[in-house]
Amino acid sequence: MSQPVSTQAPLRPVPRFIFASRWLQFPLYIGLILAQAVYVFHFWVELTHLIEAAFGHGPLIAQAPDGKLTETAIMLVVLGLIDVVMISNLLIMVIVGGYETFVSRMNLESHPDQPEWLSHVNASVLKVKLATAIIGISSIHLLKTFINAEHYEVKTLVAQTAIHITFLLSAIAIAYTDYLMEKAITLARGHSGEH
């Protein structure tokens, strides 16, 4: 059998070099995978401390003023665990989505474990998903601060709230810009179909 003949002309040296430069991002994604491994380790350390505290010993009990695990302390640790999971989700979106969008296709179309969002990922979708994830992470941090508000100065509470609102407004602006761009593309396709 004969191999299919490529009808595409080979790239000239400069465009080939520029296109190949996308692989410079590969070590960055490896670094993010290592960072995720650190988060997994941190998650298990914190979960172990929580379980130890539930049995009446460990560093959380040692830090407790009366030597007892309070509901507030449990809530703060659980929020910390949720925070780690959300950051890990953010890392997965950046690693998988970024690699697929900017470096090379992963060809996961027929893989049973392909994430649903990956089938339609592009730079715009990735931006909106990342902004949403950052808002979730910011919400967890803000909630942890408000639960423990007596340990913070008012200016810290105001600053964290302002930062969170800034994240919200930024995400809304990104989503609205994405909506306008999609609308313009749809209109352009409609007009080109009329001719």
Side-chain angles (χ1 to χ4, degrees), residues 33-139:
I33 291 169
L34 294 174
Q36 182 156 10
V38 171
Y39 266 106
V40 169
F41 178 78
H42 177 69
F43 179 91
W44 284 107
V45 167
E46 290 299 316
L47 183 61
T48 302
H49 291 166
L50 181 61
I51 292 169
E52 287 173 347
F55 288 105
H57 58 280
L60 288 178
I61 293 297
Q63 294 170 359
D66 57 356
K68 293 183 181 178
L69 188 62
T70 64
E71 184 179 352
T72 302
I74 294 170
M75 195 179 320
L76 288 171
V77 172
V78 170
L79 285 172
L81 294 174
I82 292 169
D83 187 37
V84 170
V85 170
M86 292 180 77
I87 291 171
S88 184
N89 290 342
L90 177 65
L91 283 168
I92 286 293
M93 276 192 274
V94 171
I95 294 164
V96 176
Y99 182 88
E100 174 87 11
T101 302
F102 300 111
V103 179
S104 183
R105 298 228 182 258
M106 298 173 90
N107 297 321
L108 297 173
E109 288 79 19
S110 60
H111 196 282
D113 291 333
Q114 178 194 7
E116 180 275 328
W117 58 268
L118 193 57
S119 64
H120 54 272
V121 73
N122 59 38
S124 291
V125 170
L126 199 55
K127 279 190 294 190
V128 172
K129 288 197 174 295
L130 291 176
T132 305
I134 289 170
I135 289 169
I137 293 165
S138 174
S139 298

Side-chain angles (χ1 to χ4, degrees), residues 109-179:
E109 288 79 19
S110 60
H111 196 282
D113 291 333
Q114 178 194 7
E116 180 275 328
W117 58 268
L118 193 57
S119 64
H120 54 272
V121 73
N122 59 38
S124 291
V125 170
L126 199 55
K127 279 190 294 190
V128 172
K129 288 197 174 295
L130 291 176
T132 305
I134 289 170
I135 289 169
I137 293 165
S138 174
S139 298
I140 295 296
H141 279 267
L142 193 58
L143 184 57
K144 283 171 64 176
T145 301
F146 282 138
I147 288 171
N148 227 359
E150 67 273 2
H151 296 104
Y152 293 96
E153 294 181 20
V154 174
K155 67 180 181 181
T156 302
L157 298 173
V158 170
Q160 284 192 3
T161 304
I163 291 167
H164 183 70
I165 290 169
T166 303
F167 285 150
L168 284 170
L169 294 175
S170 297
I172 291 168
I174 289 169
Y176 186 67
T177 303
D178 188 50
Y179 166 76

